[in-house]
Each structure stands twice: as structure tokens, then as C-alpha cells.
Amino acid sequence: MTNLHVLVVGGAGYIGSHMVKLLAKSGCKVTTLDNLVGGYRDAVLYGDFVLGDLADKGMLEKLFANNRFDAVMHFASFIQVGESVKDPSMYYFNNVSNTLNLLGTMRHFDVDKFIFSSTAATFGEPKYSPIDEHHPQVPINPYGRSKLFVEQILQDYQHAYGLKSVCLRYFNAAGADPEGELGERHNPETHLIPLILQAASGRRESIAVFGRDYDTPDGTCIRDYIHIADLCQAHWLALKSLLDGQQSQQYNLGNGHGFSVQEVIDSAKRITKREIRVTEAPRRAGDPAILVADSTLAQKQLGWKPCFAELDVILTHAWQWEQQMNHSK
Ligand code: UFG
């Protein structure tokens, strides 16, 4: 697997930057392409960096003409459900149309291996739990639809053009680089764990719990938090599977254990040993009560096994990162 040249689109973002590090540490040559709308140049710790946008077909042509990529990993997308409802056009252009530009350029240059960041949001309201790959995909917002469209496009491209892909449907990506070099830095931040930790470090006054009247043991929503390092390992194994000749595939990625919002707050209190001010807020539109992944298929076919499944470990690494962010602000 050394001497591989991998293009990481969105390599300056949260998940992409951790992936760049894993690829480089594994001996690959890595090129990051990022428009820096949501990412940070200083998060790209390895390889070459190209500033550019997937809407720019000329830039893509040049990039592929100048490099012989063996595979492409695509992390660049908009990810906020609420925003996607308010401005669907933005989501369809960035998440679908721009991905078509990337796939078109890959075809033109005969690059036929693609790893795609998909999401639990492609399933919509859960019909059963945990959610496996047979669960119906009926997304309930433009964000989820934009990702499902690309999944379906990829199936057609495999049949018609032989472009092989793996779609990885993340549940709740969380945590940070165990070595403390990288972490989550969304702006604005909307995700539960960084918000709780910002409340612990004093960067934020409090954390609001969105609803305590769900049909769950403590009334708060349950999610399947998966450590960023485990997520990246799954991408690495997915890439290997394509290189070994496996056909296109889709996998759900989570730990198979759900934790409630209250349990995450309790874990954060244990780890940080700080006061965390909690306020109550109404339910957030579009939040299902429980989202938990069945990742048996990824475990069987890819040989994937999460190493950091414990919530306290996820919080420990995220806290290490939050303290660095707090000091450097
Ligand atoms: N929550 C709060 N307060 C907050 C933020 C979140 O109570 O301030 C709750 C949410 O209601 C939810 C849980 O914490 O129950 C997790 O929320 P996140 O926003 O961290 O994560 P989501 O489950 O909403 O989002 C994840 C991905 C998204 C993706 C979505 C699709 O992070 O990118 O799943 O289901 F769109």
C-alpha cells in the first residue's frame, strides 16, 4: 500500500485532516484539495495542499493532469441539516453537482477508486434499531437526500463506467486525534460533544439540551458516537478492499452502542472535572429519538473493529483538543 497517491478532497476539514495523517503515516503520498470554506490550512499536516473548489472544472483537469492519483477520498460537503432545509440549492450544488465534476474528471483520467463520506441521514426516521444496510433509505431533509443521490449515482457509475466506490455512512463522528495534533473545529459549531466541552472550558456559557421528552430511558436523544480514528481506519480498510478487487459497497459505521445526550454530559463532567452549565431547550426539528448503527457488515467484510468505542475515551481525546483550542484563542 505504499507508493499509493491518494487525493483527499476536503482534507483540511475535521474528518479529512485526520485521514490525511493516517494515509501519510501509512506510507501513501497524499494531496489535499480544499476550498477552505469549512477547513483550515494548518490542519493539513502532511503532503501537498491545493487550494481549489470542485466547481472549478479547469482546476480539476489541471490537478489530475499533473498527478497520477490511484484513488480519491471525498470528504468535502456541507453537513448541517437545518441549513439544508433553508437553502437546499446550496446543498444540491455543493454536495451533488460538485461531486459530479469530481467523478467526471476521475473518469476522464481513468481513476476508478472512490471512497465517499455518506451519512446516517440517508436513512431518515428509523424503522428499527440498530440500523443495518438493509434499512430503507428515506431521507427527510435535503442534506440526507444530497448524500443518497450521490450513493445512487455511484451505483450507476459502477455499472456503466466501472468506477468502484465505497460509501461509508457515518453515524456521529466524534473525538480527536489521540496524539493531540488534530480535532474538531467547525464554525459555527453545532455538534454536541464540542459544544459541551466548550461549556466546560469556559469558551461558551452553557449547553442546551434539545428535548427531554423523547421515548428513551432518560428522555434525551440517543446517538452512536464513533471515534474519528476508528472512522479513518474504516476508510483505510475500504481503500484496501477496492485495491484487492472488491466491487462497490456501502457500510454503516458506528459502535453499535447508543449514548443519550445526558450520558454524554455526565461523561464530560467525569473527564473534565469542571462545572458544565446545562439549560433546557425544545426539541430540534428533524432529530430522531434514537440512531444506532449495526456495523456487522463492515466488521465482516473489511475486518474493521473499533479501538476507541468507550465514550469516556472519545471525550478524553476531544477534551485534550478543546484545551489546546482554548489556550490558543
Ligand atoms: N444536541 C443538544 N444540544 C446541542 C446540540 C445537539 O441537545 O446544542 C443533541 C441533538 O439534539 C442530538 C444529539 O445532541 O440528539 C447529537 O447532535 P449533533 O448535532 O452532535 O449530531 P446529529 O446527530 O444531529 O448529527 C449527525 C451528524 C450530522 C448529520 C446528522 C444526520 O453530525 O452531520 O447526524 O443524522 F447530518
Side-chain angles (χ1 to χ4, degrees):
M1 294 275 287
T2 51
N3 297 326
L4 277 182
H5 191 176
V6 182
L7 174 65
V8 180
V9 183
Y14 171 43
I15 303 172
S17 60
H18 288 77
M19 194 66 226
V20 167
K21 178 173 175 179
L22 174 60
L23 289 167
K25 292 269 177 190
S26 306
C28 297
K29 179 170 163 50
V30 191
T31 298
T32 290
L33 170 65
D34 203 297
N35 61 9
L36 296 184
V37 166
Y40 298 86
R41 176 65 186 88
D42 65 7
V44 184
L45 301 178
Y46 301 87
D48 295 335
F49 177 81
V50 177
L51 178 64
D53 194 289
L54 291 179
D56 184 349
K57 289 188 193 172
M59 177 279 301
L60 280 174
E61 293 274 325
K62 261 192 231 148
L63 179 64
F64 277 73
N66 291 336
N67 294 276
R68 174 63 228 169
F69 297 121
D70 297 292
V72 176
M73 292 190 176
H74 181 24
F75 297 92
S77 69
F78 293 140
I79 58 164
Q80 288 182 42
V81 170
E83 187 180 61
S84 81
V85 175
K86 284 198 197 99
D87 193 354
S89 157
M90 181 178 157
Y91 276 68
Y92 291 130
F93 270 105
N94 192 39
N95 295 3
V96 184
S97 170
N98 285 347
T99 302
L100 286 173
N101 290 344
L102 177 61
L103 295 173
T105 314
M106 286 177 64
R107 281 183 58 210
H108 185 76
F109 287 91
D110 291 323
V111 180
D112 65 352
K113 293 174 191 65
F114 189 66
I115 312 287
F116 179 62
S117 300
S118 190
T119 170
T122 59
F123 292 111
E125 198 60 44
K127 304 269 179 291
Y128 57 84
S129 184
I131 296 176
D132 60 15
E133 288 77 6
H134 299 295
H135 190 285
Q137 285 181 290
V138 190
I140 53 171
N141 51 60
Y143 168 65
R145 273 190 285 278
S146 72
K147 292 287 185 173
L148 182 57
F149 289 157
V150 175
E151 284 199 13
Q152 292 170 336
I153 287 166
L154 288 170
Q155 288 182 24
D156 292 338
Y157 276 36
Q158 145 111 21
H159 292 132
Y161 312 130
L163 195 152
K164 293 192 292 176
S165 61
V166 178
C167 297
L168 298 173
R169 301 180 189 129
Y170 315 153
F171 279 61
N172 287 62
D177 174 32
E179 291 169 1
E181 289 190 314
L182 295 162
E184 199 164 1
R185 254 196 284 174
H186 297 112
N187 189 15
E189 188 52 79
T190 60
H191 294 97
L192 181 68
I193 292 177
L195 290 175
I196 292 175
L197 296 178
Q198 287 176 15
S201 72
R203 278 212 286 163
R204 188 175 289 273
E205 282 235 320
S206 58
I207 176 74
V209 174
F210 294 154
R212 285 200 186 263
D213 55 350
Y214 285 95
D215 188 12
T216 59
D218 65 20
T220 64
C221 283
I222 292 178
R223 292 288 179 273
D224 186 339
Y225 296 91
I226 169 171
H227 195 292
I228 187 84
D230 288 329
L231 206 52
C232 289
Q233 187 61 24
H235 287 73
W236 175 242
L237 294 170
L239 174 61
K240 274 190 179 169
S241 78
L242 290 184
L243 291 162
D244 287 346
Q246 186 186 287
Q247 294 300 295
S248 294
Q249 191 56 265
Q250 301 81 35
Y251 298 107
N252 295 355
L253 290 181
N255 284 310
H257 304 291
F259 293 98
S260 71
V261 170
Q262 187 57 53
E263 285 174 315
V264 178
I265 294 171
D266 293 342
S267 167
K269 285 182 180 163
R270 272 195 303 277
I271 300 302
T272 65
K273 300 183 177 58
R274 301 274 180 96
E275 283 285 308
I276 299 175
R277 202 173 147 251
V278 176
T279 62
E280 307 302 327
R283 290 182 176 198
R284 188 172 65 177
D287 269 344
I290 303 179
L291 275 178
V292 177
D294 180 339
S295 299
T296 311
L297 191 65
Q299 302 201 13
K300 271 196 193 140
Q301 291 192 353
L302 298 178
W304 178 66
K305 198 173 176 305
C307 295
F308 302 104
E310 284 169 40
L311 186 60
D312 280 11
V313 175
I314 293 176
L315 266 294
T316 299
H317 294 153
W319 178 234
Q320 187 174 310
W321 175 250
E322 167 56 24
Q323 284 173 297
Q324 283 184 44
M325 287 292 97
N326 195 33
H327 287 138
S328 67
K329 83 178 165 150

